[in-house]
């Protein structure tokens, strides 16, 4: 099989709209949470989230940097975030100006969990209030999940595979895993892969609130709300943004002298076959997903230095994931660090797996693992595991595992390692 | 310049993200201002909202320049 490496990174997050800023803020234990500003959420189940900040904010997002004014008006924010993050990644990889021959072998695998929910909501209201002739002609293609891949392929002339995963909160990890396989299988040499999400809108907050998935008890102190493995956790905090990487065939990257961040060595996928929203009570799907990824990687369990957990801060999920890690890793669990960056930027749903894979890569680059914020009072089952509470920690990081689990019982795990 | 022209040009600038100087009366939406057929559908909707006129599909098809839009609106505004 052909080897697959990461040669470019792009991030839009609630803690920064480019890679180094977001990472610096994550390592500094900042929180991106706050009271929702997009709409008045006072009467909603939860009134806080981790929003991407406006352009005039210290670490805000300027859509105008990489997205045409016209496109900004026509498409949902998740597509705008995706186009920008893809642009960052392809610029970082030095692949903006590829030859036609290269572009025929370059593609996109950029998905989303839900897609253009804010626009579906607002245009539905237009339809109800003003009738069908007032619905935007850009409504459909401004909301479709595969339209990040579509827009990015048009912008950069990428004529290889054009794919978009939709697996709820596993989307970002599946997108990278699937794209890596396309390169390994010789369908492409270069793939832009990742995910994006933006559902901080009335129907999004109401819907997840009604599903009893959101944290609701921290209205006065939203930055304390996302607290994976802490006994006081009460649900996830919604985030938004995008994470996109450039994946490249190893020899292709080497031949052009590209900067190589990491190698994607393992990918695992499984289904819980249990319940639409609740995780399997023994964490068996999570276990099999990690097991498959580890087996494919050829690494020993003791080689893994860091796990970026799914760790959403929900009462059930966090401990089940930790239990599955404990069963798989056995004694090797004592040698690794595991944290959840959702404690800082919230849950980016379809973007999460990709954003967190990037944090894993940066942990390897810098020899530092990001913290789990608000882990004041760990659940009893957490004993003997380094969950990196409160502050980042310097340590050797040569191989990493990233987990993502989604509604429908869909699980994905990625293993990456540093390339010497 | 008429008041209609000013308002039409403002809508075109906002919707197509083009510089105001490019929006001359002779400018073609597609050839000069980078619009596609769906952008024109959206522009026509915006004109209808702004001016309270109805622009049926067969009339909309004939609106290809900024001047076409201004003329149609001036002639049909109630």
């Amino acid at each position: 099989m052909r080897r697959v490496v990461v040669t470019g990174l792009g991030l839009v997050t609630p803690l920064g709209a480019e890679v180094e800023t977001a990472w610096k803020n994550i390592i500094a234990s900042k929180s991106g949470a706050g009271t929702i500003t997009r709409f008045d959420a006072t009467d909603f189940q939860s009134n806080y989230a981790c929003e991407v900040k406006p352009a005039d904010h210290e670490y805000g997002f300027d859509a105008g940097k990489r997205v045409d004014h016209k496109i900004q008006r026509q498409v949902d924010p998740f597509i705008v975030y995706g186009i920008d993050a893809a642009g960052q990644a392809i610029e970082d990889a030095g692949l903006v100006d590829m030859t036609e021959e290269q572009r025929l072998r370059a593609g996109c695998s950029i998905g989303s969990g839900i897609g253009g929910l804010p626009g579906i909501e607002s245009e539905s209201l237009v339809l109800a209030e003003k009738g069908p002739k007032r619905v935007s002609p850009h409504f459909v293609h401004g909301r479709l999940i595969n339209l990040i891949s579509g827009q990015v392929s048009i912008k950069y002339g990428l004529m290889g595979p054009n794919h978009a995963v939709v697996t709820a909160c596993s989307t970002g990890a599946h997108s990278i895993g699937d794209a890596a396989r396309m390169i390994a299988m010789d369908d492409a040499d270069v793939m832009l892969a990742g995910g994006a999400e933006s559902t901080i809108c009335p129907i999004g907050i109401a819907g997840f609130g009604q599903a009893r998935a959101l944290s609701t008890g921290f209205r006065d102190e939203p930055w304390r709300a996302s607290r994976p493995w802490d006994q006081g956790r009460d649900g996830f905090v919604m985030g938004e943004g995008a994470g996109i990487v450039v994946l490249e065939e190893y020899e292709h990257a080497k031949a052009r002298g590209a900067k190589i961040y990491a190698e994607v060595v393992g990918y695992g996928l499984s289904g819980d076959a249990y319940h639409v929203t609740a995780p399997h009570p023994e964490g068996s799907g999570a276990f099999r997903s990690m097991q498959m990824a580890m087996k494919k990687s050829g690494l020993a369990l003791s080689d893994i230095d860091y796990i970026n957990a799914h760790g959403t801060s929900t009462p059930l999920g966090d401990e089940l994931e930790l239990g599955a890690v404990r069963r798989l890793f056995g004694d090797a669990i004592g040698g690794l660090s595991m944290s959840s960056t959702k404690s800082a930027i919230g849950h980016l749903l379809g973007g999460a797996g990709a954003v967190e894979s990037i944090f894993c890569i940066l942990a390897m680059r810098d020899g530092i693992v990001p913290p789990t914020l608000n882990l004041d009072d760990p659940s009893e089952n957490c004993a003997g595991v380094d969950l990196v509470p409160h502050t980042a920690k310097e340590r050797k990081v040569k191989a990493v595992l990233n987990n993502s689990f989604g509604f429908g019982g869909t699980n994905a795990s990625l293993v990456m390692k540093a390339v010497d | 310049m008429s008041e209609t022209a000013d308002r039409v040009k403002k809508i075109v600038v906002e919707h197509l993200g083009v510089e105001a100087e490019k929006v001359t009366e002779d400018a073609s939406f597609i050839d000069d201002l980078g619009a596609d057929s769906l952008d024109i559908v959206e522009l026509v909707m915006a004109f209808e909202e702004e001016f309270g006129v109805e622009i049926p599909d067969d009339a909309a098809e004939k609106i290809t320049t900024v001047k076409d839009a201004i003329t149609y609106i001036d002639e049909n505004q109630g």
Side-chain angles (χ1 to χ4, degrees), chain A residues 4-363:
Chain A
V4 182
V5 294
V6 180
T7 57
L9 309 176
L11 280 178
V12 175
T13 78
L15 280 176
E18 47 91 26
V19 171
E20 300 307 331
T21 307
W23 181 235
K24 190 183 78 194
N25 285 332
I26 286 276
I27 292 303
S29 298
K30 288 192 183 175
S31 165
T35 302
I36 291 172
T37 64
R38 300 280 161 77
F39 66 99
D40 181 2
T42 309
D43 297 330
F44 283 63
Q45 299 93 328
S46 178
N47 73 337
Y48 49 88
C50 293
E51 294 177 324
V52 167
K53 309 298 182 282
D56 60 359
H57 187 277
E58 177 195 347
Y59 40 84
F61 171 64
D62 180 3
K65 214 165 168 184
R66 292 187 182 83
V67 187
D68 287 350
H69 172 90
K70 197 171 88 173
I71 291 173
Q72 286 179 48
R73 286 191 60 262
Q74 295 172 352
V75 307
D76 249 64
F78 84 102
I79 297 178
V80 175
Y81 297 157
I83 296 171
D84 186 89
Q88 293 176 41
I90 200 167
E91 289 164 22
D92 184 32
L95 288 171
V96 173
D97 298 311
M98 285 187 275
T99 64
E100 181 168 357
E101 195 184 355
Q102 285 178 307
R103 289 187 284 110
L104 284 163
R105 300 269 304 165
C108 298
S109 166
I110 307 167
S112 178
I114 302 179
L117 198 58
I120 292 172
E121 177 173 43
S122 60
E123 288 300 296
S124 296
L125 295 172
V126 169
L127 174 65
E129 287 163 13
K130 298 181 176 174
K133 297 285 278 180
R134 283 290 168 271
V135 171
S136 166
H138 300 289
F139 171 66
V140 175
H141 50 271
R143 319 273 103 63
L144 286 179
I145 283 178
N146 70 304
L147 258 290
I148 303 174
S149 282
Q151 290 277 6
V152 169
S153 71
I154 293 163
K155 183 169 182 185
Y156 297 101
L158 311 179
M159 295 176 279
N162 202 273
H163 182 57
V165 170
V166 185
T167 50
C169 306
S170 299
T171 298
H174 275 137
S175 298
I176 293 174
D178 287 2
R181 287 201 176 164
M182 287 176 199
I183 293 173
M185 297 287 288
D186 207 11
D187 297 327
D189 296 325
V190 172
M191 290 290 292
L192 280 161
E197 203 77 70
S198 178
T199 55
I200 303 173
C201 61
I203 194 77
I205 296 294
F208 277 104
Q210 289 300 85
R212 305 295 189 268
L214 292 180
S215 165
T216 59
F218 295 85
R219 283 181 176 246
D220 297 331
E221 300 170 298
W223 58 92
R224 293 185 61 231
S226 188
R227 41 198 314 114
W229 300 294
D230 186 84
Q231 295 197 28
R233 69 189 185 274
D234 71 341
F236 79 78
V237 177
M238 196 181 287
E240 61 172 345
I244 293 174
V245 298
V246 172
L247 299 179
E248 190 169 350
E249 194 271 325
Y250 176 64
E251 297 297 338
H252 189 276
K254 221 172 65 172
R256 67 183 189 89
K259 160 184 61 186
I260 295 176
Y261 285 102
E263 180 172 0
V264 181
V265 289
Y267 176 34
L269 321 78
S270 72
D272 275 2
Y274 173 70
H275 188 269
V276 284
T277 58
H280 188 282
E282 274 119 44
S284 70
F287 179 89
R288 286 180 289 107
S289 174
M290 288 188 279
Q291 187 182 44
M292 186 192 295
M294 284 306 302
K295 188 179 166 196
K296 288 267 163 54
S297 76
L299 297 175
L301 292 161
S302 57
D303 290 333
I304 298 295
D305 299 304
Y306 173 61
I307 299 176
N308 189 301
H310 185 58
T312 56
S313 186
T314 53
L316 282 176
D318 296 0
E319 284 183 68
L320 287 172
E321 180 180 12
L322 183 55
V325 169
R326 202 185 282 281
R327 280 206 309 289
L328 180 67
F329 281 79
D331 292 342
I333 202 168
L336 58 80
S337 298
M338 171 161 153
S339 68
S340 170
T341 42
K342 290 187 179 78
S343 60
I345 57 169
H347 190 354
L348 271 68
L349 311 178
V355 168
E356 292 159 13
S357 290
I358 291 173
F359 292 151
C360 285
I361 289 165
L362 296 169

